[in-house]
Amino acid sequence: MPVPIPRQRAIPAVESGQAPAASPGGSSMEEAPRKESKVENNTHTNLTLLLIEDDPGGSTVVPEMLDAAGKPIRVRTARNLTEAGRLLTDDVHCILLDLELPAPGRTGEDDELGVLKHVLELAPRHAVLALTASGDAERGAEAVRVGAQDYLFRDELDGRLLSRAIRYAVERKRSDTAERRLAEGRLRAQENRRLERGLLPTPLLEGSSLRFAARYRPGRSRALLGGDFYDVVRTADGTVHAMIGDVCGHGPDEAALGVELRIAWRALTLAGLCGDQLLGTLQQVLEHERADDEIFATLCTVDIAPDGRRAGLCLAGHPSPLLARPGRAARLLPHDNNGPALGLLPGARWPRMQVELGAEWSLMLYTDGLIEGRIGEGRERLGQDGMVEMVRRQLSEGLRGEALLRAAVNEVRDLNGGELADDVAVLLLDRTV
């Protein structure tokens, strides 16, 4: 540390914890509040220093200081931590702390940096400069390790050096705070990403000849999980059950509710529930878990027979799946018996429709985010008819599985002229001979 040239120009402690004594010219102690108010209203002062020291031989001489703009640095003086607590307002930028000051409830032998630790707890957002005896660099370095931004020698205070140290301490504190918040934000983002990835389903299709593919794109910026949800499981009798749903809304609460419904659907399906009984139980789950009575969810469930040639279909306010078979144009499955969305009507019923699939087929389940994107700059939406025509064309181009879903989602996004506002979930089940 360079050795400064001492300068003995002192600033009167007009903002100390004690009022100044009367001057020979007749100034009384009652003038102190007026002087302090004048200094507090000084619009030319940028930085404020709080000096905390207790020197029995007299106050520490604080030289005249200027900030980077040439404006005087305001100084407040506190003789103990109680006074410091009263003077430590939001406009204080830096604290100059005498390490010889005793910490509350401790002797000097308990912890030589106890007062510093107390001040750091008292003022976690403020920059702190440690003031120590000349040549005691080891103690100063330890103060920096504990949390001070820098240290200075008591008998080598120089105005230019102290001004620079204050500015450096303030900027370093700001930098440290910003870096800590950035690191905390990164950790939270990483934890959220791990959590969201863990909440996406892992299909249970062991023993099935069906092929599975899925695409998921949340509408929330930088999110991995939205209000859409899906799942596929195979039960012990060989039946393959598939589900896709959509909770109204796009925030984290809707995403959490979607996860709860998906997990409940898997548990109930593996327990043997199906059709109307399953959807009725899911509605009870929704009604108990939703934060608002106006929140609802649409759902589509399909149970494919072990031979793969037929399936049962239940719709709860959800778009009907698309069925594609070789030699035939892709079409939507019947949706005449579409029941209400979950959470809208108490005691609602959801009829289960039997559909024929055939020997070889592709079945695509999707959420409304795939069909509600705009077409160009107008107000027209793609809609189900537009989606069917798009998928037909892509199938004729030989696209299948993951490639088909990727092309469909990308084309819908391009037609929309950018990112889709709604969540999008699409899953595809294929049976080939």
Side-chain angles (χ1 to χ4, degrees):
M1 188 172 183
V3 179
I5 302 174
R7 299 175 62 185
Q8 299 300 321
R9 292 181 296 167
I11 295 180
V14 296
E15 296 189 43
S16 66
Q18 293 183 332
S23 65
S27 298
S28 65
M29 294 181 64
E30 285 74 9
E31 293 180 358
R34 290 196 297 271
K35 288 183 180 180
E36 186 169 349
S37 175
K38 182 178 180 181
V39 175
E40 291 288 350
N41 294 327
N42 186 353
T43 59
H44 298 290
T45 300
N46 265 2
L47 295 177
T48 299
L49 173 71
L50 175 61
L51 171 64
I52 308 177
E53 60 86 29
D54 184 16
D55 186 358
S59 298
T60 300
V61 176
V62 179
E64 180 181 352
M65 298 175 293
L66 301 177
D67 63 14
K71 298 177 182 179
I73 297 177
R74 184 170 53 187
V75 180
R76 297 178 183 174
T77 302
R79 296 205 313 171
N80 52 56
L81 295 179
T82 302
E83 289 183 5
R86 291 198 301 266
L87 297 175
L88 191 61
T89 54
D90 290 338
D91 59 338
V92 172
H93 299 86
C94 185
I95 297 172
L96 182 59
L97 173 66
D98 185 356
L99 296 181
E100 297 297 331
L101 197 68
R106 300 187 180 208
T107 65
E109 298 178 355
D110 288 339
D111 188 349
E112 62 178 7
L113 295 178
V115 65
L116 173 62
K117 296 175 182 178
H118 184 85
V119 169
L120 292 174
E121 294 175 0
L122 181 67
R125 297 179 300 165
H126 292 75
V128 177
L129 288 171
L131 194 61
T132 187
S134 179
D136 195 359
E138 183 176 349
R139 189 178 187 186
E142 181 66 12
V144 173
R145 189 193 66 80
V146 168
Q149 273 60 60
D150 204 348
Y151 68 93
L152 298 170
F153 295 133
R154 185 181 297 104
D155 55 352
E156 295 180 353
L157 292 181
D158 169 73
R160 190 163 59 179
L161 173 65
L162 184 55
S163 299
R164 186 168 65 246
I166 292 172
R167 297 197 302 270
Y168 167 77
V170 170
E171 292 305 319
R172 180 175 176 181
K173 183 64 176 181
R174 289 174 180 169
S175 176
D176 291 345
T177 301
E179 184 176 353
R180 185 184 69 253
R181 289 176 178 172
L182 181 60
E184 292 173 351
R186 287 172 177 167
L187 287 175
R188 283 195 298 269
Q190 291 173 1
E191 291 174 356
N192 290 338
R193 283 195 293 270
R194 287 196 296 269
L195 177 62
E196 288 178 324
R197 287 194 187 100
L199 293 175
L200 289 173
T202 301
L204 299 179
L205 285 174
E206 185 177 356
S208 173
S209 61
L210 301 183
R211 294 184 303 178
F212 168 84
R215 297 286 290 180
Y216 194 95
R217 184 190 292 268
R220 291 186 296 137
S221 176
R222 297 184 179 182
L224 296 176
L225 200 64
D228 291 3
F229 53 99
Y230 66 89
D231 205 352
V232 178
V233 298
R234 179 179 183 268
T235 50
D237 62 355
T239 303
V240 172
H241 303 260
M243 173 271 292
I244 196 164
D246 183 3
V247 177
C248 65
H250 311 290
D253 292 338
E254 289 76 12
L257 182 56
V259 171
E260 291 181 89
L261 291 175
R262 180 187 67 78
I263 295 174
W265 176 87
R266 173 175 285 201
L268 293 170
T269 299
L270 293 176
L273 273 68
C274 185
D276 186 73
Q277 186 181 13
L278 172 60
L279 292 178
T281 308
L282 284 177
Q283 173 157 282
Q284 295 180 31
V285 174
L286 172 65
E287 291 171 345
H288 282 90
E289 297 296 333
R290 62 185 176 184
D292 191 287
D293 290 342
E294 296 183 356
I295 294 177
F296 62 90
T298 66
L299 197 70
C300 168
T301 67
V302 176
D303 54 279
I304 303 169
D307 63 7
R309 290 179 172 270
R310 61 190 183 278
L313 171 66
C314 286
L315 297 174
H318 200 87
S320 182
L322 182 145
L323 175 65
R325 292 184 285 185
R328 302 185 185 184
R331 64 179 179 85
L332 297 175
L333 292 181
H335 51 84
D336 298 337
N337 291 329
N338 195 337
L342 303 181
L344 291 183
L345 298 177
R349 304 298 299 270
W350 296 271
R352 178 177 177 271
M353 298 172 284
Q354 188 77 17
V355 295
E356 294 296 327
L357 301 177
E360 189 171 353
W361 47 263
S362 295
L363 188 64
M364 189 174 81
L365 285 65
Y366 54 93
T367 57
D368 58 6
L370 188 69
I371 59 178
E372 291 188 349
R374 298 185 183 277
I375 302 177
E377 297 180 356
R379 300 176 60 86
E380 185 180 359
R381 307 280 184 173
L382 176 64
Q384 284 183 289
D385 292 340
M387 181 206 67
V388 171
E389 291 299 325
M390 177 188 70
V391 174
R392 285 175 178 173
R393 173 173 44 80
Q394 292 169 344
L395 287 169
S396 68
E397 296 170 356
L399 297 176
R400 298 291 186 274
E402 289 277 2
L404 175 63
L405 298 188
R406 182 168 56 251
V409 173
N410 288 342
E411 184 168 338
V412 169
R413 178 185 176 277
D414 293 340
L415 290 172
N416 189 63
E419 290 295 340
L420 299 165
D422 200 0
D423 305 326
V424 176
V426 192
L427 70 86
L428 188 67
L429 290 171
D430 293 309
R431 184 175 189 264
T432 59
V433 178

